[in-house]
Amino acid sequence: KQTLLYFTKEMPSWQVARRFDALQFQLNYQDLRSGKLNPNKESEWKSQLNTLNDGKLNIIGEESGGVSHVAAKIERYKPDIVYIDGMYLMDDDQRARDGWQRLLNISRDLKKLAKKSCVPIIATVQFNRQADNTKGNSANISGGDIARDADVILGLFQDEDQAINKRMILKVLKQREGSRPEIECDWDIGNMKFGEIQDEFTAGVQW
């Protein structure tokens, strides 16, 4: 089982932990959030929480910090993979004044850290106004120069029909080697169901 290091810059750490609980214990997220879980489900969930302490999931809260902060946590937790939710909210250790330069510094420093630590780092960024819900490319990333640093760029897109059907399109916008497929996915946050739409070839594939 791999060790995951998750930095949350967008949401409080307890909200992120609640989503992981819903995913791991197959709980209805809306019921968990509103305190309306089935009593049996709630009892089972709490009993498993008391025995679950393997240190494989480490959530770092939304406190300030730059790439040096990430490096220190990598040294401490020795993760197999790092996720940063909201890279654009990180501090720039080089203290650039301009926003575009700040993002570029963070991106370049993360790239160096990934190579030095031999740990993959996945970070979320925003699209600019030229992109919309249904289309976009790597040039549409806010602070477009940071796209040059990435080895792989994934984009999530959804039209009105897909939103109703709780589906999403995952597009590979950049990949140094290999193809750039578009994959239709289940995207049901209420039931914490995410994965490639199943057919006779993909049955059983879930994230």
Side-chain angles (χ1 to χ4, degrees):
K1 188 174 180 179
Q2 293 188 325
T3 298
L4 168 64
L5 183 56
Y6 188 103
F7 292 85
T8 171
K9 298 293 184 179
E10 291 274 9
M11 300 169 56
S13 54
W14 62 269
Q15 288 185 1
V16 175
R18 184 171 61 190
R19 291 191 175 192
F20 274 111
D21 280 353
L23 184 63
Q24 179 163 352
F25 299 112
Q26 298 182 335
L27 305 173
N28 182 286
Y29 179 68
Q30 302 301 335
D31 289 347
L32 176 61
R33 186 175 67 174
S34 61
K36 297 179 180 180
L37 278 179
N38 174 287
N40 292 331
K41 273 283 188 182
E42 182 175 5
S43 177
E44 181 183 355
W45 165 54
K46 289 182 177 179
S47 66
Q48 292 182 75
L49 278 179
N50 292 332
T51 61
L52 185 65
N53 187 25
D54 57 8
K56 296 300 182 181
L57 171 61
N58 303 283
I59 301 172
I60 308 300
E62 62 277 15
E63 70 266 18
S64 61
V67 177
S68 59
H69 177 68
V70 176
K73 297 300 183 181
I74 289 176
E75 179 64 26
R76 176 180 176 182
Y77 291 103
K78 303 294 191 297
D80 296 291
I81 192 167
V82 173
Y83 289 88
I84 302 174
D85 184 16
M87 187 191 83
Y88 47 90
L89 296 176
M90 293 176 62
D91 294 334
D92 174 19
D93 293 334
Q94 301 182 49
R95 300 183 180 181
R97 293 184 179 182
D98 295 329
W100 67 269
Q101 185 65 57
R102 180 179 66 84
L103 282 174
L104 185 58
N105 289 344
I106 294 169
S107 175
R108 295 281 165 81
D109 287 346
L110 284 175
K111 179 79 170 185
K112 293 175 183 176
L113 176 61
K115 288 185 174 181
K116 180 179 179 181
S117 62
C118 295
V119 175
I121 297 176
I122 299 175
T124 63
V125 294
Q126 293 180 324
F127 279 130
N128 59 29
R129 294 179 181 177
Q130 279 67 52
D132 60 32
N133 289 339
T134 61
K135 61 182 179 180
N137 55 54
S138 58
N140 295 134
I141 293 175
S142 296
D145 283 345
I146 68 176
R148 300 177 185 176
D149 298 327
D151 295 309
V152 177
I153 298 177
L154 306 177
L156 289 169
F157 301 91
Q158 185 181 63
D159 60 27
E160 292 182 3
D161 289 339
Q162 289 170 333
I164 293 172
N165 293 314
K166 299 179 181 178
R167 293 188 171 183
M168 189 88 76
I169 293 292
L170 174 68
K171 297 182 181 181
V172 179
L173 303 180
K174 177 183 176 182
Q175 186 168 207
R176 296 193 185 280
E177 296 186 19
S179 61
R180 299 183 183 181
E182 296 185 7
I183 304 169
E184 189 171 15
C185 304
D186 286 312
W187 206 266
D188 182 1
I189 194 170
N191 295 300
M192 300 305 287
K193 181 182 180 183
F194 309 101
E196 186 174 352
I197 298 297
Q198 295 189 22
D199 55 28
E200 60 180 319
F201 301 106
T202 61
V205 176
Q206 289 291 311
W207 300 337

